[in-house]
Amino acid sequence: MSTKVSLSQISTTGASSQQVLTYNSSTSTWVASAAPNVGASLQVSDFTGTNQSLSANGYQKLPGGLIIQWGSSVGTYATNTSITFPVSFLTNCKVSVALQMPGNSTKAFGWINNLTNNGFAWYWDRTGGYDSSGTLSWFAIGY
């Protein structure tokens, strides 16, 4: 059986900010006990403001230093196209994935050149068809 109690009925006398209050139904009392250790508390501001850009070419900075970035770019057939990340990775870009989305080419393929903390170059080619440009969607993760 649950009991509804208004906040004004709960006395926090003797409880600190590092404790939680638990209702003991046997004694009809609230008992202060140590709060579980969950590490540093996170705030909404840790994920918003300058820690993110939710645009088409955007990023999300996570507490602890991990950065996730994404975007797309149009490149010309058989040439290198430079991509600059929305924000530079401080230490290292660990993963970058390229997905070619061809239009009228029968077979298209591409690869990443010169991956750095600031961006990369991508190159695409085709073995048939007549597309002179293609769109690359990319995803990068690092710290």
Side-chain angles (χ1 to χ4, degrees), residues 15-121:
S16 73
S17 63
Q18 301 299 313
Q19 294 179 312
V20 293
L21 291 174
T22 307
Y23 185 72
N24 183 332
S25 59
S26 300
T27 61
S28 299
T29 59
W30 289 92
V31 179
S33 59
N37 184 4
V38 293
S41 63
L42 297 175
Q43 305 296 319
V44 171
S45 61
D46 293 334
F47 298 94
T48 59
T50 59
N51 290 320
Q52 72 175 196
S53 172
L54 300 179
S55 62
N57 291 326
Y59 64 92
Q60 178 68 60
K61 294 180 180 178
L62 301 175
L66 191 66
I67 304 171
I68 301 168
Q69 301 193 60
W70 59 88
S72 65
S73 175
V74 174
T76 303
Y77 158 74
T79 62
N80 276 313
T81 300
S82 293
I83 304 292
T84 302
F85 294 133
V87 295
S88 293
F89 290 102
L90 300 176
T91 305
N92 198 358
C93 176
K94 299 303 281 183
V95 177
S96 187
V97 177
L99 301 171
Q100 174 66 32
M101 297 183 294
N104 295 314
S105 295
T106 56
K107 292 182 182 176
F109 55 93
W111 57 88
I112 293 174
N113 294 317
N114 306 319
L115 179 60
T116 71
N117 292 351
N118 301 312
F120 62 94

